[in-house]
Amino acid sequence: MRSIGGALRLVAALLVLGSAAAAAAQALLDFSAEERAAIARHGPWPQPWAGDPSNRVSMRPAAIELGRLLFFDPRLSANGAVACATCHRPDRGWADGLPVSTGLARGDRNAPGLANVRLQRWFGWDGAQDSLWAQSLRPLLDAREMGATRRGVAAHLRGEPELSCRYRAAFGAPPGDDDEEVFVDAGKALAAFQSTIASVPAAFDVFRDALAAGDATAADYPLAAQRGLRLFIGRGQCSLCHFGPAFTNGEFADIGVPFFTGPGSVDSGRHGGIRRLQSSPYSLLGRFSDARDPAVRQATELVAFTHRNFGEFRVPGLRELLRTAPFMHDGSLPDLHAVVRRYSTLDEDRLHADGERILRRLDLSDAEIDDVVAFLGTLTAADSPQPAPPSDEACR
Ligand code: HEC
Ligand code: HEC
């Protein structure tokens, strides 16, 4: 009899232990009110979006369809083999998985993923473009990417029945005689399509909403991610630059990624980007912007050329990182551990000029590095970012 009682007690004890283990796996750190507010600022997700005022076809379904055809069309390139989708692959978070992209020739920058690109103010690692449509024109003309000409793109749109039909549906008239206007419109259709590529909510978003609502399911968010998040918004100061729902403040910073691209050549980042922005015929200050409200031009008007911009690159958003390795403007870091280790062992003397006063060498332990990596992983949703579903209506 005693032995049965003993066995029952043992089973009871095991049950208690088991539920304690379950409780440990499902727990919530004691986030302070300040931490909770900082976490809430990284949402909600998705973010509302009301179209691009500088692009009159920005939300038109017909323009989205035209943009989709152009995005996947290699015939736009000089050798007929390079499409936007060559370097922005839907199955790789709309990036290409390579350190630096190769189109007609090898470039020197990493292709960013395109999910949520509609939320940006500046485009390219150096912000040389101030609209998504202007950014979409750049690779067409770049000799290392697609090597096309304005005339060639316009002729393609006029000559292909399906494209010219879609063009008419999107812009209200068939492509006209002015090559540059048709070329710019192609950029606007491409922008309309890319604006539909958005991330769906990820594990972090579910946690953020549950925490804000005081919902017990917040404890389902893995503890390692909770600890990593605490470092991200706290001691790591990551949130100061990787701010808000898209995890970027949209601005430029120098975090000491080397900017030498080869013997005697440098990538000056934002420094060169400002020069290119100011000389571009396609900036919001030029005649191709459809915006009537002068406020749309303001950010571009206020850009000033200063030496401190040398070596600064755009703060990237951090959603979809599990799909878009390698990282940094030059693709020099292969994975997230390498990125977090770099912040941990940062050489403060490498930050040039007046440097980034925010950044400090963090000296994280290996376990802390794992935690930050675990947190960053929860910003990637299970389902990959999709564009608007294609229309099945034929154009005639
Ligand atoms: C040869 C590879 C390649 C091709 C082809 C290519 N891109 Fe890119 N894309 C890149 C690289 C590299 C960058 C970063 C460029 C920079 O920083 O100047 C980029 C940047 C972008 C960005 C800015 C993203 C951001 O976060 O700022 C957009 C938008 C974009 N490309 C759209 C397109 C479109 C549209 C096409 C087709 C017309 C296209 N790309 C063709 C490699 C490519
Ligand atoms: C001073 C602003 C700043 C702070 C603070 C900062 N970052 Fe960054 N981060 C950047 C910039 C700028 C880049 C791109 C640099 C480049 O490509 O040269 C970047 C790149 C990254 C990338 C690579 C993303 C990609 O798509 O290539 C990750 C991941 C990242 N940061 C995470 C973090 C984490 C984690 C922290 C905190 C430990 C942090 N950052 C702190 C500005 C900052």
Side-chain angles (χ1 to χ4, degrees):
M1 278 303 162
R2 226 169 37 212
S3 72
I4 289 180
L8 282 175
R9 269 197 301 280
L10 187 63
V11 168
L14 284 174
L15 280 174
V16 169
L17 272 180
S19 60
Q26 287 203 333
L28 189 59
L29 296 186
D30 55 340
F31 290 109
S32 68
E34 202 184 321
E35 285 175 320
R36 283 165 189 259
I39 293 166
R41 283 195 290 275
H42 286 295
W45 194 265
Q47 282 285 292
W49 188 70
D52 172 358
S54 74
N55 178 358
R56 68 193 183 288
V57 299
S58 134
M59 295 181 70
R60 272 186 215 166
I64 295 170
E65 288 310 313
L66 174 61
R68 183 195 319 272
L69 291 175
L70 296 174
F71 193 88
F72 292 97
D73 191 345
R75 295 170 302 174
L76 287 170
S77 65
N79 69 353
V82 184
C84 308
T86 306
C87 304
H88 299 288
R89 291 173 46 178
D91 62 335
R92 286 190 177 268
W94 304 81
D96 61 8
L98 302 169
V100 296
S101 295
T102 298
L104 294 179
R106 191 173 186 273
D108 49 29
R109 290 201 185 148
N110 177 258
L114 300 181
N116 318 313
V117 71
R118 67 187 181 200
L119 299 176
Q120 280 169 215
R121 179 185 1 193
W122 307 114
F123 300 83
W125 285 101
D126 56 7
Q129 285 73 229
D130 57 2
S131 73
L132 186 51
W133 54 269
Q135 171 65 50
S136 302
L137 299 173
R138 192 197 56 79
L140 288 168
L141 298 180
D142 192 313
R144 291 175 307 176
E145 299 194 9
M146 297 172 75
T149 59
R150 292 171 183 79
R151 163 172 289 191
V153 171
H156 186 55
L157 275 154
R158 290 185 201 108
E160 281 298 317
E162 162 116 49
L163 292 179
S164 60
C165 180
R166 299 268 177 207
Y167 181 100
R168 180 155 33 84
F171 293 95
D177 296 334
D178 185 327
D179 287 340
E180 189 165 34
E181 257 162 40
V182 177
F183 172 70
V184 170
D185 286 347
K188 289 181 177 170
L190 280 162
F193 168 67
Q194 295 166 86
S195 295
T196 69
I197 306 170
S199 297
V200 294
F204 167 77
D205 302 298
V206 175
F207 167 72
R208 179 236 172 238
D209 293 352
L211 188 71
D215 191 315
T217 58
D220 295 346
Y221 188 56
L223 265 174
Q226 293 184 42
R227 291 189 300 260
L229 169 59
R230 176 170 266 172
L231 281 165
F232 189 88
I233 59 172
R235 183 152 60 92
Q237 307 224 70
C238 316
S239 283
L240 292 178
C241 297
H242 298 286
F243 178 81
F247 292 84
T248 167
N249 59 9
E251 289 302 327
F252 301 83
D254 168 25
I255 61 166
V257 176
F259 37 78
F260 291 96
T261 52
S265 62
V266 294
D267 186 338
S268 69
R270 183 62 174 149
H271 197 255
I274 291 176
R275 279 271 189 264
R276 291 206 278 152
L277 174 70
Q278 291 178 334
S279 61
S280 168
Y282 306 124
S283 86
L284 294 177
L285 307 184
R287 70 183 173 98
F288 294 102
S289 167
D290 300 324
R292 294 212 185 82
D293 179 355
V296 172
R297 311 156 47 104
Q298 212 169 48
T300 307
E301 278 164 351
L302 290 174
V303 166
F305 187 73
T306 63
H307 188 73
R308 79 172 301 270
N309 298 120
F310 197 94
E312 285 188 341
F313 291 88
R314 206 192 60 226
V315 177
L318 302 180
R319 290 180 180 268
E320 309 301 342
L321 291 175
L322 296 186
R323 298 190 165 90
T324 59
F327 302 110
M328 302 299 172
H329 73 272
D330 57 357
S332 56
L333 298 182
D335 55 43
L336 290 175
H337 273 94
V339 174
V340 180
R341 214 174 298 122
R342 163 170 258 284
Y343 282 108
S344 182
T345 58
L346 187 81
D347 180 354
E348 292 173 26
D349 295 338
R350 278 280 281 278
L351 304 178
H352 81 287
D354 52 347
E356 291 297 338
R357 309 233 179 272
I358 301 170
L359 285 170
R360 290 283 169 272
R361 185 189 163 105
L362 295 173
D363 287 318
L364 302 173
S365 68
D366 286 349
E368 286 172 321
I369 291 175
D370 288 346
D371 288 345
V372 176
V373 170
F375 160 66
L376 292 172
T378 68
L379 303 177
T380 299
D383 293 327
S384 65
Q386 299 295 331
S391 146
D392 46 18
E393 263 172 62
C395 194
R396 48 178 119 247

